[in-house]
Amino acid sequence: MKTKPSLAVLGGTGDLGSGLALRWLEAGYAVVIGSRDREKAAAACVQLRGTLAERGIDDVKLTDMDNVAAADAADIVVLTVPFSHQQSTLAAVKDHLNGKILVDVTVPLVPPKVGTVQLPPSGSAGQAAQAFLGDSVRVVSAFQNVAADHLKSGHELNCDVLVCGNDPEARTAVVTLVEACGMRGFQAGPISNAAAAEALTSVLITINRQFKCHAGIRITGV
Amino acid sequence: MKTKPSLAVLGGTGDLGSGLALRWLEAGYAVVIGSRDREKAAAACVQLRGTLAERGIDDVKLTDMDNVAAADAADIVVLTVPFSHQQSTLAAVKDHLNGKILVDVTVPLVPPKVGTVQLPPSGSAGQAAQAFLGDSVRVVSAFQNVAADHLKSGHELNCDVLVCGNDPEARTAVVTLVEACGMRGFQAGPISNAAAAEALTSVLITINRQFKCHAGIRITGV
């Protein structure tokens, strides 16, 4: 059996990042919470340990670091910062990503109209990340359509995850991470297809506003 | 009770167009099948009548016309031509769309890589249609993620439809058309959000290839 890769969640102090970290910790992965501000990362870890302790889980592999140290320490790096910080965060950690998988979770929402699709000139945040990092980093886009509230809850997740990236092996590794969270991951094509999942987030926000809910998607007919 | 609007399906000789027509005819709508070639429209009508007769439905309101006459005759006009014919078809019928709803079903697939998202510079086919037709026509994007095979079958449909457009009343009218086909329609925001459904089509094609299926989507958590 393969050992589990270690994970760094950059921007792991946010709702989505800590929700993902929670699921991975429950599944036995070693997780580093990264933040620009190490103290915030430490505070997020205290909260995560508290939530897990309430669920009867005390023995977790969880540490806090600043983003650069976190990216350096982990096998797979997960980026969950707001879109406006995507570029600056990648610039800070770029030198520590060589040969690694970068899971891009950012969604190019442009406030205040976050319910309106406004994809960037590069086509998608995923493509922007891949273009910026170059071929030595395998960018895989995922988790854009999962509500943080659902991740943080202990309940079963009723949504699927679209996994896009140019490297099939990297996509497969990320599908495994999706399954570790308790969801189905679909290999959804090259990194340019990240546009679909990213655009869908604004659609889901529009639906959430109508129904006061946290909507997701399921692939049917498979 | 309101009377049902009459429908024109331009490009109704194709798989998706005739699949939609079939469902609407079954629901009691008057449908005009439009084509550039009137004879092809007539042949499609013969086939539709045959399918419906096999299902025990003989009394249907179905006629064939060329695209221009069809657009002129109907209350709501549905465009189901390939993306490469979108602009030319709209140019041909534009003068007959004033004050009407144009349901844009086109998906900006760029062969041969139809499994790769390649949205047009305007952002989406839906936005391109709205920009071309101007404010006197209310463009609503819908039905991009429904497999023609499922529509043509008599069975229940296990997918939802994202309905995007700038005019809420027009979106509501199209949601009614979605429901008439036996699906749930979700108000998914302005016409720029058509990018989500259009991009998703390439993702579904990618999934179809892996699983030899006709995939669709469902909105969950509502």
Side-chain angles (χ1 to χ4, degrees), chain B residues 122-213:
Chain B
S122 52
S124 62
Q127 284 164 286
Q130 185 64 76
F132 180 74
L133 294 172
D135 289 342
S136 69
V137 182
R138 290 170 295 168
V139 174
V140 177
S141 166
F143 300 110
Q144 280 83 8
N145 307 135
V146 189
D149 274 61
H150 292 313
L151 285 170
K152 288 182 159 185
S153 77
H155 66 229
E156 219 170 290
L157 297 168
N158 185 22
C159 57
D160 294 330
V161 173
L162 303 177
V163 177
C164 303
N166 295 336
D167 183 75
E169 194 195 326
R171 288 200 307 260
T172 301
V174 176
V175 166
T176 302
L177 293 182
V178 173
E179 291 168 351
C181 289
M183 293 177 285
R184 294 192 304 178
F186 283 90
Q187 302 239 6
I191 194 66
S192 41
N193 288 12
E198 295 176 15
L200 206 49
T201 301
S202 290
V203 165
L204 293 176
I205 289 170
T206 299
I207 291 170
N208 289 346
R209 286 172 177 165
Q210 289 167 65
F211 295 95
K212 316 282 175 221
C213 67

Side-chain angles (χ1 to χ4, degrees), chain A residues 96-116:
Chain A
H96 306 274
L97 297 178
N98 257 327
K100 295 184 182 178
I101 294 169
L102 186 279
V103 184
D104 184 56
V105 187
T106 58
V107 177
L109 301 176
V110 186
K113 294 201 167 185
V114 294
T116 298

Side-chain angles (χ1 to χ4, degrees), chain A residues 115-117 119 158-159 162 186-190 192-193 195-196 199-200 203 206-207 210-211 213-222, chain B residues 115-117 119 158-159 162 186-190 192-193 195-196 199-200 203 206-207 210-211 213 215-222:
Chain A
T116 298
V117 176
L119 294 170
N158 185 23
C159 58
L162 302 176
F186 283 89
Q187 302 237 6
S192 40
N193 289 10
L200 205 49
V203 165
T206 300
I207 291 171
Q210 289 167 65
F211 296 96
C213 67
H214 298 289
I217 62 151
R218 278 278 202 187
I219 301 297
T220 61
V222 178
Chain B
T116 298
V117 175
L119 295 171
N158 185 22
C159 57
L162 303 177
F186 283 90
Q187 302 239 6
S192 41
N193 288 12
L200 206 49
V203 165
T206 299
I207 291 170
Q210 289 167 65
F211 295 95
C213 67
I217 62 150
R218 279 278 203 187
I219 301 297
T220 61
V222 177

Side-chain angles (χ1 to χ4, degrees), chain B:
Chain B
M1 201 180 132
K2 280 197 290 188
T3 34
K4 291 184 172 75
S6 64
L7 309 175
V9 184
L10 310 188
T13 59
D15 269 351
L16 194 58
S18 59
L20 288 169
L22 196 64
R23 295 273 171 173
W24 285 323
L25 289 163
E26 288 184 308
Y29 282 81
V31 175
V32 182
I33 296 292
S35 173
R36 278 183 302 179
D37 180 344
R38 172 90 190 260
E39 277 181 38
K40 282 193 184 167
C45 285
V46 168
Q47 207 156 36
L48 281 167
R49 282 183 193 283
T51 305
L52 288 162
E54 281 170 25
R55 295 182 191 174
I57 304 167
D58 287 309
D59 182 25
V60 292
K61 301 172 198 125
L62 173 62
T63 47
D64 58 272
M65 297 184 186
D66 63 52
N67 279 333
V68 175
D72 188 60
D75 299 320
I76 296 179
V77 179
V78 183
L79 186 68
T80 66
V81 299
F83 180 58
S84 54
H85 295 166
Q86 186 204 35
Q87 179 91 18
S88 61
T89 308
L90 287 179
V93 304
K94 186 177 179 177
D95 294 344
H96 306 275
L97 296 179
N98 256 325
K100 295 183 182 178
I101 294 169
L102 186 279
V103 184
D104 185 56
V105 187
T106 58
V107 177
L109 301 176
V110 186
K113 294 201 167 188
V114 295
T116 298
V117 175
Q118 297 173 81
L119 295 171
S122 52
S124 62
Q127 284 164 286
Q130 185 64 76
F132 180 74
L133 294 172
D135 289 342
S136 69
V137 182
R138 290 170 295 168
V139 174
V140 177
S141 166
F143 300 110
Q144 280 83 8
N145 307 135
V146 189
D149 274 61
H150 292 313
L151 285 170
K152 288 182 159 185
S153 77
H155 66 229
E156 219 170 290
L157 297 168
N158 185 22
C159 57
D160 294 330
V161 173
L162 303 177
V163 177
C164 303
N166 295 336
D167 183 75
E169 194 195 326
R171 288 200 307 260
T172 301
V174 176
V175 166
T176 302
L177 293 182
V178 173
E179 291 168 351
C181 289
M183 293 177 285
R184 294 192 304 178
F186 283 90
Q187 302 239 6
I191 194 66
S192 41
N193 288 12
E198 295 176 15
L200 206 49
T201 301
S202 290
V203 165
L204 293 176
I205 289 170
T206 299
I207 291 170
N208 289 346
R209 286 172 177 165
Q210 289 167 65
F211 295 95
K212 316 282 175 221
C213 67
H214 298 289
I217 62 150
R218 279 278 203 187
I219 301 297
T220 61
V222 177

